[in-house]
């Protein structure tokens, strides 16, 4: 059985200042929540897992995904998806093209590729929204498109960098439930970073608190 996402003796520093240490294993289909205040290194940890540690920070330890050591691999080879506070949809592409961007190049071509996108829109209750400009979407609609774009890329792990923080209370619960349900259905390990206790409760998995 694949071991999911494993963090071994991980430590993040900003210059000479230690920010966080973490040791954890996340099995496929389960959520681990990392809670802590702003500036505690949560987002930096996710950037390091993605293979894009910002300048000024350093990291030690190991990250493994499905028994693969990710050390030295470029971000595109790690097969990890990430959702941020902002959907980060491409403004020069319509909704359908944004989703198609997530599809692996060898997944399908031509009409078959378009059909996959149409089916994906139907799954997130946005059937017919393909030609829309992303700027015309509501916050909840844009969040759903961003989630589906990540899932279409067939990630083997999903990182969540406070993706619900900018949604109002009514939308937050809906989008949160959708994200966790879809990621669990895909059978991928999920690492959520947040400072919101409601997000941690909704995730329903183990919680590690840092920076208190």
């Amino acid at each position: 059985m694949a071991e999911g996402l494993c963090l071994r003796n991980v430590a993040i520093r900003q210059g000479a200042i230690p920010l966080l240490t973490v040791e954890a294993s996340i099995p496929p289909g389960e959520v681990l929540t990392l809670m802590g205040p702003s500036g505690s290194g949560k987002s930096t940890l996710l950037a390091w897992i993605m293979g894009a540690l910002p300048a000024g920070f350093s990291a030690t330890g190991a990250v493994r995904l499905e028994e693969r050591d990710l050390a030295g691999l470029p971000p595109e080879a790690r097969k990890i998806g990430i959702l941020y506070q902002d959907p980060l949809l491409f403004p020069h592409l319509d909704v359908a093209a944004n989703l198609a961007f997530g599809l692996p190049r060898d997944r399908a071509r031509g009409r078959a590729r378009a059909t996959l996108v149409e089916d994906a829109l139907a799954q997130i209750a946005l059937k017919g929204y393909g030609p829309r400009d992303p700027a015309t979407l509501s916050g909840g609609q844009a969040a759903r498109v961003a989630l589906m774009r990540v899932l279409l890329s067939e990630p083997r792990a999903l990182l969540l960098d406070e993706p619900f923080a900018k949604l109002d209370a009514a939308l937050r619960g809906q989008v949160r439930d959708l994200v966790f349900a879809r990621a669990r259905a895909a059978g991928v390990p999920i690492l959520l970073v947040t400072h919101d206790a409601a997000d941690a409760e909704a995730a329903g998995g183990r919680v590690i608190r840092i920076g208190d």
Side-chain angles (χ1 to χ4, degrees), residues 104-211:
R105 293 188 180 277
D106 60 352
R107 184 72 168 80
R109 299 185 183 280
R111 184 57 201 166
R113 197 172 180 87
T115 298
L116 286 173
V117 169
E118 291 168 4
D119 290 345
L121 284 169
Q123 290 175 40
I124 53 173
L126 292 176
K127 183 177 180 179
Y129 276 63
R132 293 274 293 268
D133 183 332
T136 67
L137 300 179
S138 68
Q141 290 168 341
R144 281 182 273 161
V145 173
L147 168 64
M148 184 54 73
R149 183 175 64 183
V150 168
L151 294 178
L152 287 175
S153 71
E154 301 176 356
R156 301 313 309 147
L158 181 62
L159 309 180
L160 304 177
D161 192 358
E162 306 213 37
F164 320 117
K166 292 188 176 181
L167 299 174
D168 61 43
L171 282 175
R172 189 169 185 139
Q174 296 175 20
V175 173
R176 190 166 53 200
D177 290 347
L178 176 66
V179 168
F180 293 139
R182 298 288 311 198
R184 284 192 171 104
V188 298
I190 308 152
L191 176 57
L192 166 69
V193 300
T194 184
H195 62 269
D196 191 298
D199 288 348
E201 183 178 358
R206 180 184 171 202
V207 178
I208 296 177
R209 299 178 185 274
I210 61 171

Side-chain angles (χ1 to χ4, degrees), residues 28-149:
E30 295 192 16
V31 183
L32 172 68
T33 299
L34 193 63
M35 287 194 70
S38 297
S40 58
K42 305 185 306 298
S43 294
T44 305
L45 172 66
L46 298 191
W48 176 70
I49 294 172
M50 291 292 295
L53 187 68
F57 294 88
S58 61
T60 56
V63 56
R64 296 174 61 85
L65 177 58
E66 296 180 338
E67 304 178 359
R68 290 188 308 143
D69 188 344
L70 302 187
L73 291 180
E76 63 273 14
R78 297 190 175 209
K79 297 185 178 180
I80 297 176
I82 187 166
L83 288 175
Y84 298 99
Q85 287 187 22
D86 295 307
L88 301 181
L89 301 179
F90 300 118
H92 62 290
L93 301 177
D94 63 19
V95 169
N98 266 278
L99 288 180
F101 184 87
L103 286 166
R105 293 188 180 277
D106 60 352
R107 184 72 168 80
R109 299 185 183 280
R111 184 57 201 166
R113 197 172 180 87
T115 298
L116 286 173
V117 169
E118 291 168 4
D119 290 345
L121 284 169
Q123 290 175 40
I124 53 173
L126 292 176
K127 183 177 180 179
Y129 276 63
R132 293 274 293 268
D133 183 332
T136 67
L137 300 179
S138 68
Q141 290 168 341
R144 281 182 273 161
V145 173
L147 168 64
M148 184 54 73
R149 183 175 64 183

